[in-house]
Amino acid sequence: MHREIMSELRAIRAQMGTASQTMITGTIGEAASRETAEAHALLETYRAQIEQCEKLKVELDLIYDAISRTKREIAVLHGKSFNGEEMARVNGELGAVVGGTEEATQQILEAAESIDQAATALTKVNSPDQQKLISEEIQERVVSIFEACNFQDLTGQRIKKVMNTMKFIENHITVMMDIWGGVDAIKAHAPVVDSREEDEKLLNGPKLAGDVGHASQDDIDALFD
């Protein structure tokens, strides 16, 4: 009986040892598998972050390039158009256009008034000599009107210079707008600003050819029919 009991105890001890070894091996295996899974997950996280950093770098490079190109365009505008000499010339040309137009208009009006007075006087004189003098005066006034009309040629030349400057500025501004996404992208950020008040908002000056939204003379006449 004693030997049987001891034999059973040895068998139970052997089984316990085997079970303990199996449990330890399983625990170690599970821990190793868990650590491996965590390492893979951490590695994937790092890879995703690296990809995001690379994308961010690409976007920052694009922004840097756009800023550099915009700086170049602004430098060209500042050097060619917005310096004091160029803008002073543009203002001078526009001032000369206004002054020349006013002077020519005044000369034409004075000549027309003189012609009207001379024509009235011509109907009241019978002397051929007086009629000749008045006719010569009228001819002189007509020549004066023709001379005053020469302002149109000078005005056209001056305005052409101003337009060339404005065209140069417009081209470079268009390039800068294209750099930042085009006209539509810029319009999306443009604030609505109108400093005019009340009736001033209705004063838009004479319409240009092709302008829409203006009443024609026929429309105005129809109001009184």
Side-chain angles (χ1 to χ4, degrees):
M1 180 64 69
H2 177 72
R3 286 195 297 270
E4 292 179 358
I5 291 173
M6 295 303 296
S7 178
E8 291 294 335
L9 289 174
R10 285 192 294 269
I12 292 172
R13 181 181 297 174
Q15 291 178 358
M16 291 177 64
T18 302
S20 298
Q21 186 66 29
T22 302
M23 291 177 62
I24 293 172
T25 303
T27 302
I28 294 175
E30 291 177 359
S33 299
R34 185 167 57 253
E35 291 178 357
T36 302
E38 292 176 354
H40 282 296
L42 187 60
L43 182 60
E44 292 298 326
T45 302
Y46 288 157
R47 287 177 178 174
Q49 291 176 351
I50 291 173
E51 290 179 359
Q52 291 296 327
C53 290
E54 290 177 349
K55 292 180 180 179
L56 180 60
K57 183 180 181 301
V58 172
E59 296 297 331
L60 291 176
D61 288 341
L62 292 175
I63 294 175
Y64 177 80
D65 181 64
I67 292 175
S68 299
R69 292 166 60 190
T70 304
K71 285 182 178 179
R72 288 195 295 269
E73 296 297 331
I74 292 175
V76 173
L77 287 177
H78 180 74
K80 298 293 184 180
S81 299
F82 290 123
N83 57 10
E85 180 180 355
E86 187 68 20
M87 293 309 295
R89 180 160 185 89
V90 169
N91 292 331
E93 295 290 352
L94 293 176
V97 168
V98 174
T101 303
E102 291 178 351
E103 182 180 353
T105 302
Q106 185 65 29
Q107 184 176 345
I108 291 172
L109 289 176
E110 291 176 355
E113 184 178 1
S114 297
I115 290 173
D116 180 66
Q117 294 175 355
T120 301
L122 186 62
T123 60
K124 296 180 180 180
V125 298
N126 296 321
S127 171
D129 293 335
Q130 291 182 345
Q131 290 178 352
K132 182 179 180 182
L133 291 175
I134 294 175
S135 298
E136 290 177 352
E137 182 180 356
I138 291 175
Q139 290 178 349
E140 290 178 359
R141 294 301 181 180
V142 171
V143 172
S144 176
I145 291 175
F146 287 143
E147 291 175 349
C149 288
N150 289 333
F151 84 95
Q152 182 179 3
D153 181 54
L154 294 177
T155 298
Q157 295 179 23
R158 296 184 187 279
I159 292 178
K160 185 176 180 180
K161 294 178 181 178
V162 175
M163 290 181 64
N164 288 336
T165 302
M166 295 298 105
K167 190 67 176 178
F168 177 82
I169 296 173
E170 179 186 6
N171 290 336
H172 285 275
I173 291 177
T174 301
V175 171
M176 285 189 285
M177 294 173 68
D178 291 337
I179 291 173
W180 293 103
V183 178
D184 294 335
I186 299 299
K187 286 182 177 179
H189 300 279
V192 179
V193 178
D194 193 347
S195 60
R196 298 181 299 175
E197 299 179 355
E198 302 301 331
D199 294 340
E200 291 183 358
K201 295 182 179 180
L202 303 176
L203 302 177
N204 297 311
K207 80 181 189 70
L208 298 174
D211 282 353
V212 296
H214 295 269
S216 64
Q217 187 61 45
D218 294 337
D219 296 331
I220 297 174
D221 293 340
L223 295 175
F224 297 96
D225 291 342

